[in-house]
């Protein structure tokens, strides 16, 4: 009797080749190519009334993958589920078991923390049961994210602009960036001065010392007048060495990398983005062909643990003894303690074998792979090396009642620093080099003053976030988890709420507007402490300390109330607009911030009686300033009403020609010439426009409908508008549409509304507003 081969299921196609090589012909190996099931895209997919039961559907395009999995399983009695050893991997394992379920078939969960022959063989030899609590934690996070995204986003579509979204974690990150920007706006620099003396003893080198005290008290020099007075007192003073303090400081190496620390270091040292770091790390984990042998070079790269195995530490010690000698090696391994509640399922990120050195693997790695592998390898090996010994010297210099201080350090024994220096170590080394070397001096020795330099300074505002400092801030505040940092940073840019300029995050106007609306209407959702507590609660679900249903009920009890209130009470930026405190220069009423299809702009609250509108910018204090359009002379263009020259003006809908005699002559025309058309009786729906929608023909003769005030307004659509408001979303018009199946019908043209003549045909949103989890990375 022929027994069918057991099936091993992994999530990444890249792993298949590696696993097959290690397991040989005794097993079939297949891939899910990421997630195979998820919540539906066109509906919320959560039965709130039925204990928040999720509705899973096959991800579009995955039918062929499922068929291939079933074919690979065949008549196998044993299926080993080996997706990544984290929550997302657990969800993939559960969904795979559901589609491959068969009478008499047994499912086993195997966790590959590293892809080496030994690790794979041991994992297959000691499988576990599927972890229901880990799956529940992933599912609960997904439900929370879906509730937030699908219930807040439609409110933003109605109140601000279609297509906007809110995410449970990303919105907190955007708020952090906005609050940092407002702290910069509010910052008022304070002047202060320093005084630096350049001194020399009996023998060179000369050295610099900074004034620190007067009369035994810390000195403060607020302005130039004070600095000048101190300079005059010190110019003729006698300088001598009052005290010399020498000490040797022991420097311990850093732990091996966690996910966030790897991202921070790669951003600073290698100029990688967080997403690029994780992509390259995934390649190193899944396996590299080292001249005919495929080897996973690093352990699993999504972890917040600093734990390492005794075996790995022992191997590192052997290599250190061989390469550096006994004085660089430790008598016993150095282990690092984890933070509270850190998930300890995985080790820290380390090489699977220290003998796969960067030098040996270099010929088989790309430039980016080698750069990342090198810092992972060096950081781990350095963590098992001897401490560095640094000699520090501080010299106190007396000058009358004033005291100066000079300090410097030299490396007595490099220890781990001979192999690895972090980005901060490199900066410190450069600073020490810039200060120069201190001379050998004795207490009481006289010094010669070579120069005395007062210098003006100003206090600096808090710095804007870089990718590295934002990851650090998220980690320190407990926002997100290792698997989500790269997704968070990418999503907040893709959603258009922040911009990354020269490596610095800055919020844009939409970011400010959405953050303010969420803070006012959903304070919990964008609260750092609340979000961090929710992350801890998800950890407690995984460790079976908390019931998932109770967590969701507690969250939704408050959240539902907020949603109901926001639907009615959230300020409509489309309609009313946000107050600015700026008077309209035309009519004196308040100018407000509104959002149109081209983004935020200023418009008079007196619209439609007053048509004043402008683009705007913010000054260094965050104050809104209208941007006046620049008018350029249009050569050869003469006003056909008064004979003056025409100028090119910029409106919210592009360039147009206007008479230079405005306001006496208000003649305007298109830069492309005038266009007439048949009226439809429908007013142009664009905010601030007084035109009418008219029937037009394109250059190819096709009928379309556009604003009569083109080019001042570029509103256009293909379907004929009808002056009848949509009863569902309040859109000012419907459109005529004819199909073979339904004939001619009136429909709403607003995306996501879906209203047509049948009153019961309202459809759900056609896209998912937001996703916070790593599910996205595993659906491709």
């Amino acid at each position: 009797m022929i027994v069918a081969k057991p099936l091993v299921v992994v999530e990444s196609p890249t792993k298949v080749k590696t696993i097959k090589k290690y397991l040989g012909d005794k097993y079939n190996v297949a891939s899910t190519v990421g997630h195979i099931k998820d919540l539906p895209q066109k509906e919320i997919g959560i039965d709130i009334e039925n204990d928040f039961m999720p509705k899973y559907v096959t991800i579009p395009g995955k039918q062929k993958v499922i068929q291939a999995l079933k074919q690979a399983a065949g008549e196998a009695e044993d299926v080993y589920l080996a997706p990544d050893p984290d929550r997302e991997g657990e969800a993939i394992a559960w969904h795979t078991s559901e589609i491959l379920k068969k009478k008499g078939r047994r499912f086993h969960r195997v966790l590959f923390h590293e892809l080496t022959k030994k690790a794979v063989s041991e994992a297959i030899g000691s499988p576990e049961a599927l972890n229901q609590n880990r799956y529940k934690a992933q599912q609960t996070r997904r439900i929370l994210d879906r509730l937030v995204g699908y219930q807040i986003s439609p409110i933003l579509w109605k109140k601000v602009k279609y297509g906007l979204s809110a995410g449970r974690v990303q919105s907190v990150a955007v708020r952090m960036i906005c609050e940092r920007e407002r702290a910069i706006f509010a910052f008022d620099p304070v002047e202060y001065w320093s005084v630096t003396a350049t001194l020399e003893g009996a023998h060179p080198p000369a050295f610099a010392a900074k004034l620190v005290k007067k009369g035994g008290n810390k000195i403060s020099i607020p302005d130039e007048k004070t600095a000048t007075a101190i300079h005059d007192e010190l110019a003729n003073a006698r300088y001598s060495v009052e005290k010399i303090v020498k000490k040797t400081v022991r420097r311990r190496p850093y732990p091996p990398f966690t996910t966030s620390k790897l991202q921070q270091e790669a951003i600073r040292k290698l100029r990688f983005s967080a997403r690029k770091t994780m992509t390259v790390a995934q390649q190193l984990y899944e396996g590299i062909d080292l001249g005919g042998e495929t080897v996973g070079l690093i352990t699993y790269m999504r972890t917040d643990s600093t734990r390492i195995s005794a075996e790995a530490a022992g191997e590192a010690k052997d290599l250190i003894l061989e390469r550096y000698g006994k004085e660089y090696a430790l008598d016993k391994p150095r282990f690092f303690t984890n933070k509270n509640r850190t998930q300890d399922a995985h080790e820290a990120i380390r090489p699977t074998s220290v003998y796969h050195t960067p030098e040996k693997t270099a010929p088989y790695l790309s430039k980016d792979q080698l750069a990342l592998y090198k810092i992972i390898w060096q950081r781990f090996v350095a963590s098992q090396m001897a401490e560095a010994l640094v000699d520090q010297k501080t010299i106190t210099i007396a000058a009358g009642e004033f005291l100066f201080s000079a300090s410097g350090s030299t490396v007595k024994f490099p220890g781990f620093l001979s192999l690895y220096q972090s980005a901060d170590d490199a900066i410190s080394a450069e600073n020490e080099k810039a200060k120069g070397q201190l001379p050998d001096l004795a207490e009481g020795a006289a010094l010669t003053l070579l120069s005395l330099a007062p210098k003006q300074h100003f206090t600096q505002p808090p710095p804007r976030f870089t990718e590295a400092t934002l990851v650090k801030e998220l980690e320190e505040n407990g926002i997100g988890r290792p698997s989500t940092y790269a997704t968070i940073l990418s999503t907040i840019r893709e959603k258009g709420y922040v911009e990354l300029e020269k490596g610095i995050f800055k919020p844009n106007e939409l970011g400010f507007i959405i953050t303010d609306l969420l803070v006012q209407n959903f304070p919990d959702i964008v609260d750092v402490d609340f979000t961090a507590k929710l992350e801890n609660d998800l950890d407690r679900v995984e460790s079976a300390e908390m019931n998932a249903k109770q967590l969701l009920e507690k969250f939704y009890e408050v959240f539902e109330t907020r949603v109901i209130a926001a639907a009615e009470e959230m300020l409509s930026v489309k309609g009313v607009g946000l107050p600015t405190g700026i008077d309209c220069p035309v009519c004196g009423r308040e100018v407000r911030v509104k959002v149109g299809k081209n983004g935020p702009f200023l418009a008079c609250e007196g619209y439609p009686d007053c048509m004043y509108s402008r683009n705007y910018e913010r000054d260094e204090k965050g104050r809104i300033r209208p941007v006046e359009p620049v008018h350029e002379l249009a050569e050869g263009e003469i006003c056909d009403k008064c004979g003056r020259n025409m100028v090119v003006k910029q409106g919210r809908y592009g360039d147009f020609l206007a008479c230079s005699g405005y306001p006496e002559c208000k003649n305007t025309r298109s830069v492309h010439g005038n266009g007439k058309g048949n009226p439809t009786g429908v007013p142009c729906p664009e905010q601030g426009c007084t035109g009418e929608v008219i029937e037009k023909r394109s250059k190819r003769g096709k009928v379309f409908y556009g604003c009569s005030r083109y080019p001042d307004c570029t509103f256009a659509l293909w379907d004929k508008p009808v002056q009848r408001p949509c009863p569902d979303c309040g859109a000012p018009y419907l459109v005529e549409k004819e199909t073979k199946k339904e004939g001619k019908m009136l429909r709403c043209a607003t995306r996501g509304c879906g209203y047509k003549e049948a009153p019961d045909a309202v459809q759900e949103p056609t896209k998912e507003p937001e996703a916070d989890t790593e599910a996205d990375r595993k659906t491709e």
Side-chain angles (χ1 to χ4, degrees), residues 86-106:
D86 58 12
R87 290 176 188 168
E88 296 299 326
E90 200 67 37
I92 294 171
W94 275 81
H95 293 154
T96 304
S97 71
E98 289 170 1
I99 66 163
L100 296 181
K101 191 174 182 180
K102 189 176 183 180
K103 186 176 180 180
R105 179 170 284 168
R106 297 179 293 269

Side-chain angles (χ1 to χ4, degrees), residues 548-725:
K549 178 189 168 186
Q550 291 175 349
L551 187 159
L552 290 167
E553 286 176 342
K554 184 178 179 182
F555 170 85
Y556 198 71
E557 182 181 4
V558 176
F559 180 67
E560 183 182 30
T561 305
R562 305 269 193 210
V563 169
I564 294 170
E568 295 296 324
E569 299 170 9
M570 182 183 285
L571 185 146
S572 173
V573 183
K574 281 182 180 178
V576 178
L578 299 170
T580 64
I582 299 172
D583 293 334
C584 175
V586 175
C587 71
R589 283 174 284 196
E590 186 181 27
V591 172
R592 291 183 166 251
V593 172
K594 297 190 176 184
V595 177
K597 66 179 182 180
N598 294 322
F601 66 99
L602 297 178
C604 180
E605 68 175 345
Y607 170 84
D609 298 332
C610 178
M611 300 298 296
Y612 175 83
S613 68
R614 288 289 187 274
N615 291 325
Y616 69 92
E617 61 187 11
R618 291 183 184 269
D619 62 17
E620 70 281 356
K621 301 304 290 182
R623 294 176 293 237
I624 289 175
R625 294 286 182 260
V627 176
E628 296 301 326
V630 177
H631 302 157
E632 298 178 2
L633 189 66
E635 294 185 12
E637 297 287 350
I638 304 297
C639 177
D640 54 9
K641 289 188 177 180
C642 71
R644 296 184 179 96
N645 288 322
M646 300 292 279
V647 294
V648 179
K649 290 189 175 183
Q650 184 184 47
R652 287 194 291 117
Y653 307 103
D655 293 343
F656 64 98
L657 299 180
C659 181
S660 59
Y662 180 86
E664 289 83 8
C665 179
K666 299 180 180 178
N667 186 29
T668 64
R669 68 171 181 258
S670 167
V671 292
H672 308 293
N674 289 320
K676 305 281 186 181
N678 297 321
T680 64
V682 177
C684 179
E686 288 293 340
Q687 176 70 50
C689 183
T690 57
E692 179 186 1
V693 179
I694 59 176
E695 181 183 307
K696 297 185 177 185
R697 286 189 180 272
S698 68
K699 290 181 180 180
R700 297 187 178 182
K702 188 172 182 180
V703 173
F704 72 99
Y705 300 86
C707 183
S708 60
R709 293 188 65 245
Y710 178 86
D712 296 19
C713 176
T714 57
F715 172 82
L717 72 168
W718 291 113
D719 301 310
K720 182 179 179 180
V722 176
Q723 190 175 4
R724 181 174 170 184

Side-chain angles (χ1 to χ4, degrees), residues 14-35:
T14 312
K15 292 181 187 175
V16 172
K17 183 180 177 182
T18 306
I19 303 301
K20 274 185 176 179
K21 188 156 191 173
Y22 291 153
L23 295 179
D25 295 332
K26 295 181 179 179
Y27 296 83
N28 286 328
V29 185
S31 166
T32 65
V33 196
H35 279 280

Side-chain angles (χ1 to χ4, degrees), residues 419-546:
L419 175 62
Y420 180 78
Q421 291 188 27
S422 71
D424 288 330
D425 290 331
I427 292 170
S428 298
E430 284 297 317
N431 291 339
E432 285 299 319
K433 186 177 179 181
K435 285 197 293 188
Q437 189 176 354
L438 292 176
D440 288 327
L441 298 167
E443 291 184 357
L447 299 170
T448 302
L449 177 66
L450 301 180
S451 66
L452 199 60
K455 186 176 181 180
Q456 184 186 40
H457 307 272
F458 291 93
T459 53
Q460 296 298 307
R464 293 186 176 96
F465 288 112
T466 64
E467 278 203 307
T469 57
L470 185 55
V471 167
K472 184 179 180 182
E473 189 83 359
L474 292 169
E475 180 189 29
E476 290 179 349
N477 284 281
I479 306 299
R481 284 295 180 259
S483 59
T484 63
Y485 296 138
T487 305
I488 293 169
L489 269 57
S490 297
T491 301
I492 60 176
R493 293 174 61 193
E494 291 164 2
K495 296 299 177 184
Y497 298 149
V498 302
E499 292 156 9
L500 190 64
E501 299 175 358
K502 297 180 180 179
I504 305 295
F505 277 113
K506 286 185 68 176
N508 56 29
E509 286 305 311
L510 205 52
F512 280 127
I513 291 169
I514 298 302
T515 295
D516 289 346
L517 291 174
L518 292 180
V519 168
Q520 292 164 12
N521 296 274
F522 297 93
D524 293 342
I525 295 300
V526 287
D527 181 74
V528 169
D529 292 337
F530 178 83
T531 306
K533 183 180 182 302
L534 212 50
E535 293 289 352
N536 285 329
D537 287 345
L538 289 169
D539 290 344
R540 294 176 66 196
V541 170
E542 180 169 349
S543 60
E545 298 173 46
M546 176 173 276

Side-chain angles (χ1 to χ4, degrees), residues 231-475:
H231 175 275
D232 293 343
E233 282 189 71
L234 288 167
N236 298 312
R238 298 177 66 181
Y239 292 76
S240 62
V241 177
E242 182 175 274
K243 188 178 181 181
I244 299 174
V245 176
K246 295 180 180 179
K247 61 180 178 180
T248 300
V249 177
R250 306 178 77 88
R251 281 277 317 276
R252 282 172 59 89
Y254 295 100
F257 283 123
T258 60
T259 301
S260 66
K261 292 297 188 289
L262 176 62
Q263 289 174 353
Q264 293 171 49
E265 192 79 341
I267 290 165
R268 298 177 68 188
K269 263 195 166 185
L270 308 179
R271 300 292 184 263
F272 285 9
S273 67
R275 184 176 286 279
K276 180 177 179 179
T277 300
M278 296 309 292
T279 299
V280 176
Q282 183 98 22
Q283 295 164 1
L284 296 173
Y285 163 71
E286 291 187 344
I288 302 293
D289 187 345
L290 302 181
E293 181 189 9
T294 303
V295 177
L297 288 179
I298 65 171
T299 53
Y300 191 57
M301 65 287 158
R302 292 183 177 89
T303 177
D304 51 7
S305 171
T306 56
R307 179 176 64 83
I308 59 171
S309 69
E311 183 182 6
E315 190 184 55
K317 179 181 179 180
D318 293 341
L319 179 131
I320 294 164
L321 285 168
E322 293 170 19
R323 280 199 168 193
Y324 296 96
K326 190 174 181 179
E327 60 181 334
Y328 284 86
L330 301 174
D331 292 332
K332 57 182 181 179
R334 179 184 289 116
F335 296 109
F336 300 88
T337 54
N338 289 318
K339 295 180 181 177
N340 292 335
R341 297 210 67 83
T342 291
Q343 297 298 298
D344 202 33
H346 318 301
E347 290 188 52
I349 304 170
R350 62 166 177 81
T352 54
S353 172
V354 295
Y355 288 103
H356 292 307
T357 64
E359 298 79 24
K360 286 183 180 178
T361 55
Y364 309 102
L365 300 177
S366 68
K367 181 182 177 182
D368 290 341
Q369 288 171 341
L370 178 59
L372 192 66
Y373 181 62
K374 188 174 182 179
I375 66 170
I376 292 171
W377 187 92
Q378 289 178 333
R379 175 104 162 199
F380 170 67
V381 176
S383 75
Q384 296 303 308
M385 294 177 72
E387 297 172 336
L389 301 179
V390 180
D391 285 339
Q392 294 182 344
K393 184 196 294 187
T394 302
I395 304 173
T396 303
I397 298 107
E401 62 177 330
F402 294 94
L403 290 178
F404 287 78
S405 179
S407 61
S409 63
T410 56
V411 177
K412 181 179 181 180
F413 172 66
F416 74 93
L417 291 173
S418 59
L419 175 62
Y420 180 78
Q421 291 188 27
S422 71
D424 288 330
D425 290 331
I427 292 170
S428 298
E430 284 297 317
N431 291 339
E432 285 299 319
K433 186 177 179 181
K435 285 197 293 188
Q437 189 176 354
L438 292 176
D440 288 327
L441 298 167
E443 291 184 357
L447 299 170
T448 302
L449 177 66
L450 301 180
S451 66
L452 199 60
K455 186 176 181 180
Q456 184 186 40
H457 307 272
F458 291 93
T459 53
Q460 296 298 307
R464 293 186 176 96
F465 288 112
T466 64
E467 278 203 307
T469 57
L470 185 55
V471 167
K472 184 179 180 182
E473 189 83 359
L474 292 169
E475 180 189 29

Side-chain angles (χ1 to χ4, degrees), residues 190-193 220-224 226-227:
V190 176
E191 180 185 10
Y192 70 98
W193 287 68
S220 175
I221 311 175
D223 49 40
E224 185 176 14
T226 307

Side-chain angles (χ1 to χ4, degrees), residues 47-155:
D47 189 346
I48 295 170
E49 301 301 323
N50 186 23
D51 295 338
F52 301 92
M53 185 67 68
K55 173 187 175 184
Y56 286 106
V57 296
T58 300
I59 294 172
K62 285 300 181 80
Q63 287 82 357
K64 288 184 178 179
V65 173
I66 291 173
Q67 283 303 115
L69 286 170
K70 289 181 177 179
Q71 188 175 351
E75 299 301 319
E77 294 181 356
D78 291 285
V79 175
Y80 293 84
L81 302 167
D84 282 351
D86 58 12
R87 290 176 188 168
E88 296 299 326
E90 200 67 37
I92 294 171
W94 275 81
H95 293 154
T96 304
S97 71
E98 289 170 1
I99 66 163
L100 296 181
K101 191 174 182 180
K102 189 176 183 180
K103 186 176 180 180
R105 179 170 284 168
R106 297 179 293 269
F107 292 95
H108 315 277
R109 181 72 166 110
V110 291
L111 305 175
F112 297 148
H113 297 289
E114 57 185 78
L115 295 185
T116 60
K117 187 170 184 177
K118 180 183 177 185
V120 170
S121 299
E122 288 179 351
I124 291 289
S126 54
E128 305 174 1
L130 285 163
N131 189 319
Q132 186 171 18
N133 292 324
R134 187 178 297 142
Y135 175 46
K136 272 289 183 186
Q138 186 275 346
Q139 190 179 78
T140 306
R141 174 190 285 277
R142 194 80 182 98
I143 292 170
L144 287 168
D145 294 339
R146 181 56 70 100
L147 291 172
V148 171
Y150 267 63
Q151 297 201 16
I152 296 182
S153 298
I155 298 174

